[in-house]
Each structure stands twice: as C-alpha cells, then as structure tokens.
Amino acid sequence: YGAKTKGLGFANVKTFTIERWAAPGWAAVLKSMDDADREEMEAIVPVGWYSLALYARLIRTLDRVHGRGDAHLVEELGKFEAERDLKTVHRFFLRFANPVFAIEQMGKYWRRFHDTGYWNVQRIEKAYATGTLCQWFHVDDFLCRELVAYMRRAMELAGASQVVLAHPRC
C-alpha cells in the first residue's frame, strides 16, 4: 500500500503547465514519463485517489522538462496551487480569520486530499503557531518544497504578513 492523494493536485499541475507552456508543454511532460505513468496520468480525474509517488514523479518531471531540475519550479507550482485552491469563498473566509486559525483549519482539511499524514498544530500565541506534518508516508524533497511554498502562499492569502516556515527535515 502506498500513500494516495486526490487527483485535484494532478489537475493543478496540468493547468499550471498549460498556462505557462501551452498544450505542447504538457505533452512534453507526459512524453518524458515512462509508459505506465503516462497511461495512468491520462485517466486521472480530480476527485479520484492516486499514488502520491506518481505525483512526486510528475512534479519532478515537470521540473526537469521546464525548470532547472533543482525544485525551484515546484516552488512556483506550490504558490500557484495555493492561489488556485483558495479562490473566492475560501479566500474571503480566510481574510476574516486569524492566520493561525487558518493554519489550524488547513490541518483539519489535510485528510480530504491525502490518505496519510496529519498535522500537529500548536498555537503558541495569538499570531504564532507551529505545525508539524507527521506520518506522510512518501518522503520526497520535491514534495516537501512544493508543500512549503503552498503553505507560505496560503498563509499570505490568509493575511499573514511575516510568514516564516522552516523545513528542518523530511
């Protein structure tokens, strides 16, 4: 059994790629994947559950094809995904919430998109909290870099002004 993630993340990667490099850019990413991965990618729907390892291979391929292979592009992807995921109603709600409260809520929503892992969030004071992702059963530095960028942008969208995120280890 491997960790699973919702197809929405795959859809976001596809949209990110097409918005930047048009349809041929997405085709180049798919062409660079092995046959089995490419076949699975073509059947993904946003509400389905898919291998987190496949997702990690997808974002690594995206970074290799259109980036420098150093995960910088997946950081841009993480920001894009946060903006896309937290549109309209969610962003409106988050504007009225304390950013620390938003972190606590994001921890609760984690399991809607991942079948492994949970957030241990501790409020230290009104404007400061710590959050630790535990037992996410697929360790990958590109996934972690994408997630840190996602969380940073989500906190900014929630109104946080001096976001400091640390990623001490996978």
Side-chain angles (χ1 to χ4, degrees), residues 30-103:
L30 292 177
K31 185 178 179 182
S32 295
M33 299 182 86
D34 72 29
D35 292 340
D37 284 354
R38 186 172 40 257
E39 185 176 319
E40 188 169 357
M41 289 294 306
E42 291 171 354
I44 287 176
V45 294
V47 297
W49 287 94
Y50 304 95
S51 165
L52 185 57
L54 174 62
Y55 183 80
R57 290 191 299 275
L58 171 62
I59 65 173
R60 282 179 173 279
T61 302
L62 170 69
D63 196 80
R64 187 179 68 249
V65 171
H66 294 297
R68 299 183 304 248
D70 62 358
H72 180 75
L73 186 60
V74 297
E75 290 175 0
E76 292 179 40
L77 172 64
K79 294 174 194 173
F80 172 87
E81 289 173 309
E83 291 170 0
R84 190 165 173 81
D85 289 351
L86 300 175
K87 281 189 185 232
T88 59
V89 174
H90 291 100
R91 189 176 296 178
F92 179 77
F93 167 74
L94 290 174
R95 283 287 179 198
F96 293 102
N98 177 309
V100 173
F101 175 75
I103 292 171

Side-chain angles (χ1 to χ4, degrees), residues 112-124:
R112 290 185 179 190
F113 301 98
H114 298 275
D115 74 340
T116 63
Y118 66 91
W119 282 93
N120 180 6
V121 178
Q122 296 180 338
R123 190 183 289 234
I124 307 301

